[in-house]
Amino acid sequence: MRSIFLTILLIISNLLIYSQPMQSKTKILLLMGSRFEITAVHSSEAIIDESIDVAIEEVKRIENLISEWVEGTEVDLINKNAGIKPVKVSVELFTLIERCKKVSALTDGAFDITWASAWKLWHFDSTLTKVPSQAQIDEILPLIGYEKIILNKQDTTVFLTQKGMKIGFGAIGKGYAANKARDKMKSVGIENGIVIAGGDLITWGKMANRKNWTIGIADPENPQNAIAWLEVGEMGVVTSGNYEKFVMINGKRYAHIINPKTGYPATGLISVTVIAPDAELCDALATGLSVLGPAKGLGLINQMRGVECVMVTDSNQILTSKGLSLNYYKNNKKNQTHQITIGQKKR
Ligand code: ADP
Ligand code: MG
């Protein structure tokens, strides 16, 4: 879980700028196997409570749609019918998979939901005690590849062409859920809020004191400290960490993001934060960039309008995309805080 990964600074102020005082309420609970923090800002406590309830319901609904672990979900049925037959799914899941394939194409296959075919080799818990052999990896590699997901738009069916293939939404599900929870909260009148889904977050409006949301990007070496602070309005901020979920085998760290081309864990970056209005896109890109590495990753983000990133390499270098500017810089020692702003024009 990455709740420690991003720290949120919520400055509570009693300044009453508007005629009705704004209040802020946060509910923390476990959803999708992760710590969720749902905060609503409004003058009416009843509306705040209602909004938090509808957000929770929405996240539970999404979990039941996309979990590959819960028996009988649409995703479970797709996986069980791999190499057998196409499975009819809801428009919601169908379009999510369509978007996943688009991000796969954008990242040259670095983000790929068919990575899940490798799940049986890479458990990332205490059951993983030795590195899979090259022969084992070679066996599963033909099962990985987003182009082997066949989508039929007319019938909304999904077909995985190879027996043993699997899809999994671990790299995008929380971002999607954050977007949708925000939408639900807005629909009941919440114009200011933040949803933190296991460290992936989306903000909108302002804090109760009418200031912008201030988001800290954690120092991978010492997650209590921030390496940078971001001031944001309506924005997704999502971090993928290659240091947080991993196993140690013979003194070497094997982390939970798999390079779909090699079948082995990605290396080179220990933390990637993507900043863009769409938390789902941020989530998918953060995972994809972790695989692509610093040079290709920055190259991609620097071509995308409205998307920025902060990366920490395994040699502790902090890299930022062109549209982020450091407007406060104490010194260049590790663990010092930078404040950065978003939205500079890209060349
Ligand atoms: P977190 O789960 O900490 O939010 P990510 O969003 O980066 O981190 O998702 C990592 C998860 O995505 C892994 O635990 C795994 O379930 C899945 N995954 C691993 N490698 C890939 C990949 N190359 N493409 C898509 N999903 C992946
Ligand atoms: Mg992700």
Side-chain angles (χ1 to χ4, degrees), residues 2 111 170-172 200 238-240 282-288:
R2 256 202 341 271
F111 167 86
I172 194 170
D200 302 353
V238 173
T239 303
S240 268
C282 291
D283 198 359
L285 283 176
T287 307

Side-chain angles (χ1 to χ4, degrees), residues 219 221 225-227 316-318 329-338:
D219 179 348
E221 280 204 325
N225 291 350
I227 52 166
N316 267 310
Q317 227 191 332
I318 299 172
Y329 187 70
K330 270 188 185 157
N331 62 42
N332 60 5
K333 273 200 209 130
K334 240 176 25 180
N335 294 344
Q336 294 300 319
T337 300
H338 309 165

Side-chain angles (χ1 to χ4, degrees), residues 13-21 208-211:
S13 160
N14 292 323
L15 276 178
L16 304 181
I17 297 165
Y18 294 94
S19 52
Q20 283 183 307
N209 62 6
R210 309 313 301 160
K211 291 194 172 146

Side-chain angles (χ1 to χ4, degrees), residues 6 13 20 26 40 46-47 52 64 81-82 125 193 215 225 279 290 302 307 331 340:
L6 293 165
S13 160
Q20 283 183 307
T26 301
I47 292 179
I52 293 177
N64 281 323
N81 284 289
D125 58 22
I215 311 295
N225 291 350
S290 302
N302 283 335
V307 183
N331 62 42
I340 53 192

Side-chain angles (χ1 to χ4, degrees), residues 47-258:
I47 292 179
I48 288 179
D49 288 342
E50 183 194 356
S51 77
I52 293 177
D53 286 347
V54 294
I56 293 170
E57 278 318 301
E58 181 67 352
V59 176
K60 287 183 179 163
R61 186 188 69 75
I62 291 169
E63 185 173 12
N64 281 323
L65 179 73
I66 65 173
S67 172
E68 66 257 45
W69 310 118
V70 178
E71 185 108 358
T73 62
E74 291 187 356
V75 174
D76 179 47
L77 293 177
I78 293 170
N79 288 342
K80 282 192 175 134
N81 284 289
I84 303 170
K85 62 173 197 286
V87 174
K88 178 135 183 94
V89 299
S90 59
V91 172
E92 182 177 5
L93 183 66
F94 187 87
T95 49
L96 175 64
I97 297 174
E98 268 185 331
R99 295 195 298 278
C100 286
K101 287 188 73 171
K102 278 192 189 146
V103 179
S104 296
L106 189 70
T107 57
D108 191 23
F111 167 86
D112 190 333
I113 53 172
T114 67
W115 87 275
S117 316
W119 176 251
K120 58 180 180 188
L121 297 185
W122 294 109
H123 267 290
F124 298 112
D125 58 22
S126 55
T127 62
L128 186 69
T129 51
K130 65 177 202 252
V131 180
S133 68
Q134 190 61 50
Q136 285 176 303
I137 296 282
D138 289 344
E139 226 171 88
I140 54 112
L141 279 181
L143 305 178
I144 302 178
Y146 65 95
E147 68 292 343
K148 293 170 199 150
I149 308 171
I150 307 296
L151 298 178
N152 181 323
K153 206 171 180 121
Q154 216 156 28
D155 305 338
T156 63
T157 60
V158 182
F159 180 44
L160 307 182
T161 59
Q162 314 295 307
K163 240 193 149 99
M165 253 181 101
K166 281 188 173 22
I167 52 173
F169 295 87
I172 194 170
K174 291 197 290 281
Y176 177 56
N179 276 353
K180 296 286 280 184
R182 184 256 339 248
D183 293 349
K184 283 281 174 191
M185 292 171 78
K186 276 186 165 180
S187 75
V188 295
I190 297 294
E191 286 167 3
N192 308 278
I194 176 166
V195 175
I196 310 176
D200 302 353
L201 65 87
I202 191 151
T203 60
W204 68 103
K206 290 183 185 288
M207 295 191 281
N209 62 6
R210 309 313 301 160
K211 291 194 172 146
N212 285 333
W213 297 100
T214 308
I215 311 295
I217 299 174
D219 179 348
E221 280 204 325
N222 186 0
Q224 263 42 279
N225 291 350
I227 52 166
W229 292 100
L230 291 165
E231 248 190 57
V232 289
E234 178 137 6
M235 199 60 79
V237 182
V238 173
T239 303
S240 268
N242 239 351
Y243 65 91
E244 213 215 4
K245 197 169 160 192
F246 61 86
V247 290
M248 295 296 288
I249 303 173
N250 296 333
K252 203 172 163 210
R253 197 173 56 185
Y254 293 88
H256 70 139
I257 296 175
I258 300 292

